[in-house]
């Protein structure tokens, strides 16, 4: 889909517009102004082509069934990952049962992993992941992010 392509390619502004379209409909005048002309907007063109821009749609290949969030993570596009999380992208597992957070940690994507850990949805990302394997990688390869994770999960009672 266009969202998959934009996420994989790191086109944050396009992802934001496609997510906004999926969530809220589209402000055609603003989109046309952003496109730099009074003609057909990019979103109009996408709609005319019949593409599905659904945020949590997996790609159409039988495997590995990646969402746009998986692709943004795998391609190391932290800004796109933040955009997708801000618009409610789900932490769906792929055909190999890897969530986007699992992929971020396994590929040692420090900036992307930091986006997950700083997100208001950090708990959801961690609870749906393969936490045992992720903890091992975090502690050995990304110790500063492991500290952030521990700080988020640690509750001190007085």
């Amino acid at each position: 889909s266009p969202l998959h392509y934009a996420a994989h390619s790191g086109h944050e502004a396009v992802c934001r517009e496609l997510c906004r379209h999926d969530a809220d409909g589209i402000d055609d005048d603003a989109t046309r102004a952003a496109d730099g002309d009074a003609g057909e907007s990019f979103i109009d063109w996408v709609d005319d082509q019949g593409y599905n821009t659904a945020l949590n749609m997996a790609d159409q290949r039988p495997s590995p069934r990646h969402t746009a969030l998986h692709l943004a993570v795998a391609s190391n596009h932290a800004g796109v990952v933040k955009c997708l999380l801000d618009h409610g992208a789900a932490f769906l597992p792929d055909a190999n049962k890897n969530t986007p957070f699992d992929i971020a940690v396994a590929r040692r994507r420090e900036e992307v992993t930091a986006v997950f850990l700083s997100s208001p949805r950090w708990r959801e990302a961690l609870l749906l992941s393969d936490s045992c394997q992720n903890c091992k990688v975090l502690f050995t390869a990304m110790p500063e992010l492991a500290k952030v994770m521990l700080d988020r999960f640690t509750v001190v009672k007085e």
Side-chain angles (χ1 to χ4, degrees):
S1 76
L3 184 58
H4 285 80
Y5 178 78
H8 177 69
S9 302
H11 297 294
E12 188 176 341
V14 173
C15 286
R16 186 175 299 106
E17 195 61 31
L18 289 168
C19 289
R20 193 169 67 87
H21 173 63
D22 180 51
D24 305 322
I26 192 70
D27 179 347
D28 287 324
D29 293 333
T31 305
R32 282 189 195 97
D35 290 344
D37 68 354
E40 180 178 51
S41 73
F42 173 72
I43 298 298
D44 290 336
W45 179 84
V46 167
D47 284 342
D48 290 346
Q49 301 306 309
Y51 290 117
N52 185 338
T53 60
L55 181 60
N56 293 314
M57 179 186 83
D59 63 16
Q60 297 304 300
R61 295 173 292 165
S63 184
R65 304 294 298 163
H66 287 148
T67 64
L69 184 56
H70 286 97
L71 296 176
V73 167
S75 300
N76 205 26
H77 298 303
V80 173
V81 170
K82 182 177 181 338
C83 172
L84 295 171
L85 291 176
D86 290 349
H87 282 89
F91 300 108
L92 301 172
D94 63 14
N96 298 318
K97 298 186 169 80
N98 293 312
T99 68
F101 183 73
D102 294 330
I103 293 170
V105 173
R107 294 190 181 186
R108 293 164 170 76
R109 305 288 199 221
E110 289 191 41
E111 190 176 356
V112 170
T113 302
V115 168
F116 280 108
L117 294 175
S118 64
S119 167
R121 300 173 59 209
W122 66 271
R123 187 181 306 272
E124 182 184 359
L126 270 64
L127 293 177
L128 294 173
S129 75
D130 180 4
S131 56
C132 291
Q133 182 61 31
N134 286 338
C135 285
K136 181 179 174 183
V137 173
L138 274 170
F139 282 103
T140 58
M142 298 181 269
E144 288 301 314
L145 292 176
K147 182 182 180 320
V148 170
M149 182 185 74
L150 288 174
D151 287 347
R152 303 265 352 224
F153 269 113
T154 305
V155 176
V156 178
K157 293 186 179 183
E158 295 180 19

